[in-house]
């Protein structure tokens, strides 16, 4: 072909026409769903190529789309991730039986995706029937991950263990489930060998240890093992010697009377764990037994101590052995001194989460303060993700922290007493959070707390140009606050607000915004039914759902959940959820 | 009083200082009262100026109370000093209606602290260094929101439950409130620890009912429930309280049966005596009912039938409660007895005289 001619034709057609199978071949290498979403917008041809090659679909709001629509567009899905309830359901703000039941999805999938291999659910309702259905209908099923779900019991897990012959991953995390017995573990078949990930740390019932031991011995590809509290140190040792290839370990109870010999054996077992990069569990860990971990910590990148109430010295000694630590979760029992030790021992730290050991006792003064946070920011310059529960904070400290670590992407600060000001100056925390948004240009997620006026939100609207998720509670002065955010933050996707003085005017100021967002949650604010109806009328492609707020007696307060959808109003809404129609 | 200011928490000083709702004092709580357009938080007022009042008001109280924490005053109403009232008012939440039928500790017109007082005990770490601010902080305590005026009226009750509204919803209601001299206005709906119905926030670990906001602080249920066990274990490991509970028998003269209390549950004499009062209130002066709210009536009552709290120590001697530091008391106390003061003459003649003099 004449090169000049082809060049001309190439230039005249803006999009190069690959043969379909070449295009599909290339696109099948793309995994990120955001990239794929972008690809699908290029042209009809690319849209089609993309939809035929997509194997994994991520649905951030199970009500934004229906399973039929998904199946129609993507014929070859093997892996699904679904998220259901609004995040505030984790904190009991959403009544039970609200919805997000996975069964409707499974029914369609059984028909359209019989080859489905992976299902990851977050904040969905999953019944035992659904689990049994899953186990029965999908013969190639491999991965089940349930995070913060509810509605099932260990009976459902029995069905999974019994019938999913190719299961590689069973990950049960922090769910509100009925833990009837540990018998499910014994339901794995005798010759079962495929497991790579097993996480049952959040279940409490005793499991049959022999069954577990056998499982671990037989599954040579087991990489991630997180057992529950019922597993003792002695039992842990026996598991470890059978699975030295583990990369992530969640221990059981770390408190047991061991003989000197048993102690040595345990030490040796940990020395044998050469590939460990994540460690968790450690319930009831004490000074006595923590040292056995030291040899296994050299390559540790993630240490989750949020269930071990360590004191500052214990933590200091432990992190001294974790020079490569990137992520650390602790309880505030370690106090500022503990965090100072982290600052000096873990220069590569990128993520820190400090949970409160005593969140409901407002009279005490234990825990961490602004100094601990400051110390970490000084020692760990790569810090970009923080979740910090504290009882006191100052604007000055926050400003210095972000000065030290301007790379924050996730800044979630929870000053535990609602509406608490800077404890030194008694001023609102406006300037502190102002500094965060001004300095951290990559900020994607922000959780604010303390005494905040509208000024905080003006700052956020003006500076937080990459903000995607914002959580607000007990803050703000007027509608202007919420308006500033809705008008100012171009990339906002999730906005959740509770107990703030934002009313209808604020709600309606987001008319242009909500369709570009995943969802909006407002509870115990000043919005009225009328305002919500107005929104629903003006934006028919949004679902505007209201629930009477039971906590507030005046009968006029509503919890409002607004989200974009192509599936129309929910068909499974319970009686207490009213979808306002235009 | 001017506009429906919710002088939440400020009246108790009995100085009738009507402070503007300021950020330092229960900041978010009182906002509705202002009815200003923008300034929901009443920020236009002088935060620091107002803020400074609160700590001052309580500095003295705090210090006084510290000393008195171990001193169990068994006297008559007149025997207590005025500052002390302030603290009680600050902290009292649920027990407005209950009267101390025996003066295990001086209380203010039926107020008494049923909760841990910030200043009590050994749990104050760094906060000691910033006492003023800790008071301010304390004032922001949502539980103290249910603070009521020092002269409560019977119909106040303690509307921790249904009467309360959320932050910012009904300004209209605010106007009604001041007439009752109460400001149950809260920045958020709060609940006493309710029998668990799953949906409501529940405080699995707390032994005493505490006013609590649903879903705050934002911690997932699984973690909440794990913490309950974790913190208990931590305390045991600390060796601070030793192991488990310390149940001892409590008898009261004239009561048909004994009770048992877990001493480890309390961190100061204050708490113990309030708990005992609650426990035994049904046995005392039942005839007078709970309507006695006037100071004089109370005095009459207490003059007539005084009780003192005594304990039997390791040596078998009967001692007056309150002399030794709390920790020592925990170690030596074998049983408690609430005696009529006429029987107790031999135990602490000076204490009784002291109180009589102050009358």
């Amino acid at each position: 072909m004449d090169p000049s001619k082809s060049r001309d034709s190439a230039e005249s057609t803006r999009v190069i026409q690959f043969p379909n199978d070449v295009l599909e071949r290339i696109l099948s290498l793309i995994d990120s769903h955001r990239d794929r979403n972008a690809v699908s917008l290029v042209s009809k041809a690319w849209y089609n190529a993309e939809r035929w090659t997509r194997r994994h679909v991520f649905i951030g709001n199970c009500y934004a789309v229906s399973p039929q629509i998904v199946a129609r567009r993507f014929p070859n899905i093997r892996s699904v991730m679904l998220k259901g309830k609004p995040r505030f359901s984790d904190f009991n703000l959403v009544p039970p039986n609200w919805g997000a039941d996975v069964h409707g999805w499974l029914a369609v999938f059984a028909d359209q995706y019989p080859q489905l291999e992976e299902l990851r659910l977050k904040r969905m309702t999953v019944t035992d029937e659904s689990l049994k259905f899953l186990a029965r209908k999908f013969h190639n099923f491999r991965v089940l991950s349930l995070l913060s779900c509810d509605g099932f019991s260990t009976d459902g897990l029995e069905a999974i263990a019994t019938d999913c012959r190719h299961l590689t991953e069973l990950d049960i995390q922090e769910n509100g489930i009925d833990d009837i017995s540990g018998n499910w573990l014994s339901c794995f078949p005798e010759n079962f060998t495929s497991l790579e990930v097993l996480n049952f740390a959040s279940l409490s019932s005793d499991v049959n240890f022999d069954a577990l031991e056998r499982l671990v011995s037989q599954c040579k590809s087991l990489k991630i093992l997180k057992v529950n509290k019922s597993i003792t140190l002695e039992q842990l040792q026996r598991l470890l010697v059978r699975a030295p290839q583990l990369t992530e370990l969640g221990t059981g109870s770390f408190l047991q009377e061991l003989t000197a010999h048993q102690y040595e054996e345990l030490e040796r077992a940990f020395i044998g764990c050469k590939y460990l990069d994540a460690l968790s569990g450690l319930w009831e860990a004490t000074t006595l037994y923590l040292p056995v971990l030291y040899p296994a910590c050299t390559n540790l990148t993630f240490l989750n101590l949020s269930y071990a109430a360590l004191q500052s010295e214990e933590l200091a000694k432990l992190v001294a052995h974790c020079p490569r630590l990137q992520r650390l979760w602790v309880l505030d029992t370690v106090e500022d001194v503990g965090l100072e030790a982290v600052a000096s021992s873990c220069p590569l730290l990128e993520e820190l989460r400090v949970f409160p050991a005593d969140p409901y006792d407002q009279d005490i003064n234990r825990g961490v303060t602004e100094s601990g946070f400051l110390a970490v920011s000084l020692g760990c310059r790569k810090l970009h993700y923080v979740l910090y529960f504290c009882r006191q904070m100052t604007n000055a400290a926050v400003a210095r922290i972000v000065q030290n670590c301007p790379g924050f992407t996730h800044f979630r600060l929870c000053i535990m007493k609602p509406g608490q000001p800077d404890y030194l100056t008694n001023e609102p925390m406006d300037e502190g959070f102002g500094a965060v948004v001004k300095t951290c240009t990559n900020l994607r997620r922000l959780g604010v707390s303390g005494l905040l006026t509208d000024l905080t939100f003006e700052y956020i609207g003006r500076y937080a140009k990459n903000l995607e998720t914002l959580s607000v509670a007990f803050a703000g002065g007027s509608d202007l606050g919420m308006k500033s955010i809705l008008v100012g933050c171009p990339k906002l996707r999730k906005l959740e607000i509770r107990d703030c003085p934002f009313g209808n005017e604020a709600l309606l100021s987001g008319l242009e915004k909500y369709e570009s967002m995943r969802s909006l949650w407002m509870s115990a604010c000043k919005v009225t039914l009328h305002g919500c109806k107005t929104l629903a009328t003006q934006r028919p492609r949004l679902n505007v759902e209201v629930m009477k707020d039971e906590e507030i007696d005046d009968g006029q307060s509503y919890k409002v959940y607004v989200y974009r959808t192509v599936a129309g109003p929910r068909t499974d809404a319970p009686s207490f959820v009213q979808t306002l129609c235009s | 009083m001017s506009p429906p200011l919710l002088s939440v928490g400020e009246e108790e000083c009995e100085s009738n200082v009507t402070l503007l709702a300021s950020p330092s004092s229960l900041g978010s709580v009182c906002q509705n009262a202002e009815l200003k357009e923008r300034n929901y938080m009443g920020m236009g007022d002088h935060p620091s100026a107002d803020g400074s009042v609160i700590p001052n008001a309580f500095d003295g109280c705090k210090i006084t109370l510290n000393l008195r924490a171990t001193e169990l005053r068994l006297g008559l109403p007149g025997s207590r000093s005025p500052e002390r009232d302030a603290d009680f008012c600050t902290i009292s939440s649920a027990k407005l209606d209950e009267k101390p039928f025996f003066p295990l500790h001086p209380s203010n017109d039926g107020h008494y602290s049923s909760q841990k007082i910030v200043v009590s005990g050994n749990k104050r770490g760094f906060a000691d260094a910033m006492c003023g601010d800790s008071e301010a902080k304390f004032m922001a305590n949502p539980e103290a929101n249910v603070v009521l005026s020092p002269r409560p009226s019977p119909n106040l009750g303690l509307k921790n439950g249904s009467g309360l509204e959320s932050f910012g919803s009904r300004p209209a209601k605010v106007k009604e409130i001041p007439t009752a001299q109460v400001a149950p206005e809260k920045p958020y709906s709060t609940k006493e620890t309710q029998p668990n119905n799953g949906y409501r926030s529940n405080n699995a670990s707390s032994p005493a009912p505490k006013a609590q906001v649903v879903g705050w602080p934002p911690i997932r249920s699984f973690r909440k429930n794990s913490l309950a066990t974790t913190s208990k274990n931590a305390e045991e490991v600390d060796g601070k309280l030793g192991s488990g509970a310390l149940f001892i028998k409590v008898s009261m003269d004239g009561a048909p049966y004994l009770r048992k209390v877990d001493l480890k549950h309390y961190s100061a004499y204050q708490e113990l005596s309030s708990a005992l009062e609650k426990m035994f209130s049904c046995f005392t002066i039942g005839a007078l009912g709970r309507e006695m709210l006037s100071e004089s009536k109370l005095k009459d009552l207490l003059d007539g039938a005084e009780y003192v709290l005594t304990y039997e120590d390791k040596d078998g001697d009967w001692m007056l409660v309150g002399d030794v530091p709390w920790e020592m008391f925990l170690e030596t106390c074998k049983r408690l007895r609430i005696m009529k003061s006429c029987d107790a003459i031999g135990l602490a003649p000076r204490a009784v005289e002291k109180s009589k003099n102050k009358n």
Side-chain angles (χ1 to χ4, degrees):
Chain A
M1 192 208 262
D2 180 354
S4 60
K5 233 191 189 157
S6 69
R7 216 177 311 136
D8 281 343
S9 58
E11 272 160 21
S12 60
T13 58
R14 305 270 249 122
V15 177
I16 299 168
Q17 303 293 346
F18 281 128
N20 246 5
D21 42 356
V22 174
L23 187 56
E24 286 184 13
R25 195 69 191 278
I26 297 172
L27 293 183
S28 59
L29 300 172
I30 300 180
D31 284 330
S32 146
H33 64 271
R34 286 190 192 194
D35 288 343
R36 280 188 162 266
N37 291 347
V39 160
S40 68
L41 293 175
V42 171
S43 72
K44 259 255 154 63
W46 284 48
Y47 175 90
N48 277 319
E50 193 280 311
R51 62 183 268 262
W52 280 97
T53 56
R54 196 188 286 229
R55 284 283 189 270
H56 168 70
V57 67
F58 167 78
I59 297 160
N61 175 3
C62 64
Y63 287 119
V65 70
S66 73
Q68 290 83 358
I69 293 173
V70 174
R72 204 165 53 227
R73 177 172 171 187
F74 301 116
N76 288 323
I77 296 295
R78 298 288 163 99
S79 158
V80 176
M81 171 149 197
L82 268 172
K83 291 189 179 179
K85 299 180 213 172
R87 194 179 80 98
F88 277 171
S89 71
D90 281 348
F91 317 126
N92 294 348
L93 288 181
V94 176
N97 304 316
W98 178 86
D101 192 322
V102 77
H103 202 86
W105 291 84
L106 290 180
V108 173
F109 290 164
D111 213 24
Q112 305 288 329
Y113 304 140
Q115 297 304 310
L116 190 70
E117 295 174 6
E118 302 182 4
L119 190 63
R120 293 172 214 272
L121 304 177
K122 186 169 183 183
R123 291 191 203 103
M124 305 261 328
T125 294
V126 184
T127 59
D128 285 342
E129 283 63 47
S130 295
L131 290 176
K132 291 173 187 164
F133 184 83
L134 179 67
R136 217 172 46 239
K137 293 280 183 173
F138 299 94
H139 301 289
N140 216 17
F141 198 71
R142 287 164 201 272
V143 169
L144 181 63
S145 167
L146 301 172
L147 173 55
S148 210
C149 295
D150 68 308
F152 63 101
S153 77
T154 42
D155 287 351
L157 295 181
E158 281 186 21
I160 299 288
T162 312
D163 294 328
C164 297
R165 299 292 158 143
H166 306 286
L167 200 68
T168 60
E169 177 173 333
L170 182 60
D171 185 2
I172 313 291
Q173 280 189 61
E174 296 192 19
N175 300 287
I177 74 167
D178 219 344
D179 193 339
I180 301 171
S181 89
N183 191 49
W184 59 274
L185 190 80
S186 313
C187 292
F188 283 104
E190 288 269 340
N191 53 356
F192 190 78
T193 57
S194 49
L195 215 53
E196 294 170 22
V197 175
L198 179 61
N199 177 0
F200 63 98
S202 56
L203 300 179
S204 49
S205 298
D206 290 0
V207 295
N208 181 315
F209 182 70
D210 289 335
L212 178 61
E213 200 176 5
R214 188 186 62 225
L215 195 62
V216 170
S217 321
Q218 283 172 194
C219 297
K220 299 294 179 197
S221 308
L222 191 68
K223 285 287 191 309
I224 296 175
L225 176 64
K226 298 184 185 176
V227 300
N228 71 2
K229 241 168 141 176
S230 74
I231 301 297
T232 66
L233 279 176
E234 200 188 329
Q235 291 171 329
L236 181 68
Q237 184 268 336
R238 284 159 66 179
L239 295 175
L240 288 179
V241 298
R242 280 160 184 64
Q245 76 281 4
L246 288 178
T247 58
E248 289 187 30
L249 172 68
T251 74
S253 163
F254 225 69
L255 184 67
Q256 186 189 359
E257 297 269 343
L258 293 181
T259 65
H261 176 66
Q262 284 172 322
Y263 188 96
E264 270 170 32
E265 282 192 322
L266 186 62
E267 268 184 321
R268 263 199 301 273
F270 273 104
I271 291 172
C273 294
K274 296 194 184 12
Y275 304 102
L276 226 47
D277 53 36
L279 189 59
S280 59
L282 300 168
W283 281 282
E284 298 155 330
T286 64
T287 320
L288 206 51
Y289 295 110
L290 284 173
V292 306
L293 295 172
Y294 297 167
C297 292
T298 337
N299 292 321
L300 221 53
T301 57
F302 178 32
L303 183 56
N304 181 353
L305 298 169
S306 59
Y307 295 104
L310 296 195
Q311 306 299 303
S312 36
E313 265 188 37
E314 294 165 332
L315 178 69
K317 290 196 196 130
L318 180 55
V319 294
H321 291 90
C322 309
R324 298 209 174 79
L325 208 58
Q326 292 171 14
R327 299 168 62 207
L328 176 64
W329 295 17
V330 289
L331 282 177
D332 65 359
T333 49
V334 303
E335 293 182 348
D336 292 333
V337 181
L339 294 180
E340 283 161 26
V342 172
S344 50
S345 302
C346 308
L348 300 178
L349 199 70
E350 296 178 20
E351 175 180 327
L352 175 68
R353 301 195 196 198
V354 182
F355 296 96
D358 230 329
Y360 304 108
D361 193 339
Q362 310 222 15
D363 295 338
I364 70 178
N365 280 311
R366 287 188 290 257
V368 293
T369 73
E370 75 279 12
S371 356
F373 197 170
L374 197 52
V376 176
S377 74
L378 279 167
C380 310
R381 296 307 177 111
K382 292 179 153 206
L383 199 62
H384 69 85
Y385 190 125
V386 161
L387 170 60
Y388 201 80
F389 284 85
C390 58
R391 288 188 169 86
Q392 65 182 56
M393 189 51 62
T394 67
N395 286 309
V398 175
R400 271 168 64 206
I401 286 164
V402 292
Q403 217 172 17
N404 295 334
C405 301
F408 270 111
T409 55
H410 298 68
F411 192 94
R412 303 165 64 188
L413 178 61
C414 181
I415 302 168
M416 288 192 275
K417 280 182 193 163
Q420 182 171 310
D422 175 325
Y423 79 97
L424 285 182
T425 64
N426 270 331
E427 282 171 3
M429 291 298 299
D430 295 341
E431 294 307 317
F433 285 106
V436 173
V437 292
K438 283 178 203 164
T439 319
C440 306
T441 50
N442 291 330
L443 196 69
R444 298 205 304 268
R445 180 169 183 182
L446 181 61
V448 298
S449 60
L451 182 67
L452 300 174
T453 71
D454 286 341
L455 186 55
T456 301
F457 303 105
E458 279 176 47
Y459 285 143
I460 295 175
R462 206 184 315 162
Y463 296 105
K465 294 307 176 188
N466 282 318
L467 192 65
E468 297 178 16
T469 307
L470 179 62
S471 302
V472 186
F474 308 107
S478 73
D479 285 339
L480 188 63
M482 187 171 163
K483 266 190 197 174
S484 307
I485 300 170
L486 290 169
V487 165
C489 299
K491 296 202 181 166
L492 194 66
R493 291 190 303 116
K494 288 176 276 183
L495 181 57
E496 46 185 26
I497 302 174
R498 63 167 293 183
D499 295 273
C500 294
F502 303 140
N504 294 336
E505 201 183 323
L507 178 70
L508 295 172
S509 66
L511 273 178
E512 305 302 321
K513 187 61 151 247
Y514 298 131
E515 281 185 24
S516 65
M517 287 171 56
R518 182 184 296 175
S519 65
L520 165 72
W521 168 279
M522 288 179 80
S523 59
C525 294
K526 282 167 139 179
V527 290
T528 68
L529 202 55
H530 174 74
C532 298
K533 284 189 175 151
T534 310
L535 176 61
T537 311
Q538 303 219 13
R539 287 289 179 270
R541 279 192 305 219
L542 298 175
N543 274 358
V544 180
E545 294 181 5
V546 295
M547 289 182 275
K548 273 245 175 71
D549 193 339
E550 301 294 332
E551 306 290 319
I552 300 163
D553 256 359
D554 57 15
Q556 295 178 62
S557 281
Y558 291 90
K559 299 186 179 181
V560 183
Y561 185 47
V562 179
Y563 56 91
R564 65 180 176 188
T565 179
V566 293
R570 287 170 60 180
T571 51
D572 65 349
S575 54
F576 55 83
V577 173
Q578 197 189 347
T579 306
L580 300 177
C581 296
S582 40
Chain B
M1 247 196 263
S2 49
L5 283 175
L6 304 175
S7 41
V8 188
E10 286 111 10
E11 284 186 331
E12 60 288 298
C13 286
E14 298 196 63
S15 53
N16 286 321
V17 174
T18 311
L19 300 168
L20 292 176
S22 73
S24 61
S25 66
L26 302 161
S28 45
V29 188
C30 328
Q31 305 332 312
N32 276 336
E34 297 299 324
L35 301 178
K36 281 187 204 166
E37 188 67 278
R38 292 271 198 106
N39 248 333
Y40 192 86
M41 303 297 271
M43 286 306 298
D45 305 311
H46 313 286
S48 40
D50 286 338
S52 61
V53 180
I54 307 287
N56 288 343
F58 288 96
D59 264 341
C61 306
K62 175 193 132 186
I63 294 164
T64 321
L65 193 57
N66 254 332
L67 295 176
R68 289 193 173 153
T70 57
E71 183 186 355
L72 194 67
R73 310 284 298 279
L74 304 171
L76 309 161
S79 61
R80 70 187 173 285
S81 47
E83 317 87 84
R84 198 165 183 185
D85 304 345
D87 286 285
F88 286 112
C89 298
T90 318
I91 316 146
S92 137
S93 69
K95 304 300 174 265
L96 187 56
D97 290 333
E98 312 221 11
K99 295 296 152 220
F101 292 114
F102 44 84
L104 287 184
H105 71 109
S107 59
N108 175 34
D109 290 343
H111 268 248
Y112 58 82
S113 165
S114 61
Q115 302 181 14
K116 291 186 208 160
I117 306 169
V118 166
V119 297
S120 76
N122 34 18
K123 293 184 183 177
R124 294 176 58 79
F126 51 78
D128 279 331
M130 11 206 151
C131 48
D133 295 300
S134 67
E135 300 306 331
K137 221 178 357 146
F138 191 67
M139 291 304 294
N141 185 340
E143 292 161 71
N145 284 348
V146 196
V147 166
L148 309 144
S149 73
R151 269 164 287 289
S153 41
N155 58 2
L156 277 187
L158 190 57
K159 307 203 287 177
N160 256 351
S162 40
L164 299 174
E165 299 162 21
S166 78
F167 187 67
S169 35
R170 296 296 107 146
K173 258 212 178 169
V174 166
K175 293 193 175 85
E176 302 160 16
I177 307 294
T179 54
Q181 286 186 45
V182 189
E185 183 79 5
K186 289 172 159 254
Y188 38 72
S189 43
T190 63
K191 287 262 182 279
E192 294 280 8
T193 315
Q194 305 266 353
N196 184 9
N197 74 350
Y199 172 37
R200 300 269 162 86
S201 129
N202 55 10
N203 187 351
S205 55
S206 169
K210 291 181 181 170
Q212 204 176 288
V213 188
V214 175
W216 189 267
I219 301 171
R220 286 199 189 138
S221 323
F222 176 74
R223 189 173 290 284
K224 259 195 295 195
N225 297 336
S226 302
L227 289 179
T229 356
T230 307
S231 54
K232 240 195 295 173
N233 290 334
E235 278 186 2
E236 288 172 17
V237 168
D238 264 354
K240 243 193 294 189
L241 300 178
S243 63
L246 181 60
F247 281 97
I248 54 156
K249 287 188 193 169
V250 187
S251 61
M252 177 165 177
D253 290 356
Y257 49 82
L258 280 63
R259 300 292 301 267
K260 270 206 168 172
V261 287
D262 174 10
L263 287 185
K264 294 269 172 78
H265 194 273
Y266 311 104
S267 55
Y269 286 113
Q270 207 87 38
E271 293 169 44
L272 174 63
S273 60
S274 1
L276 289 176
E277 281 176 45
K278 263 182 279 166
M279 226 185 244
F280 287 92
S281 56
C282 50
F283 299 134
T284 56
I285 319 145
L288 287 176
R290 294 176 187 255
E291 288 307 308
M292 356 161 331
L293 296 162
S294 73
E295 209 162 347
S296 52
K297 256 185 151 185
L298 189 58
K299 272 189 199 159
D300 291 340
L301 167 73
L302 294 171
D303 271 339
E306 289 169 348
Y307 289 81
V308 291
L309 186 58
T310 63
Y311 72 102
E312 182 184 20
D313 72 356
K314 282 189 181 148
D315 302 326
D317 299 323
W318 285 96
M319 319 278 289
L320 193 66
V321 168
D323 289 327
V324 299
W326 178 254
E327 264 68 30
M328 200 186 296
F329 170 70
L330 284 185
E331 281 164 41
T332 56
C333 173
K334 300 266 296 301
R335 51 185 300 173
L336 286 166
R337 179 177 163 200
I338 303 170
M339 289 182 173
K340 290 215 176 67
S341 67
C342 40
D343 296 334
I345 296 290
L347 282 180
R350 268 193 318 147
V352 174
E353 262 167 20
K354 240 193 308 186
S355 50
K356 280 205 176 123
N357 289 341
K358 286 200 182 146
N359 236 350

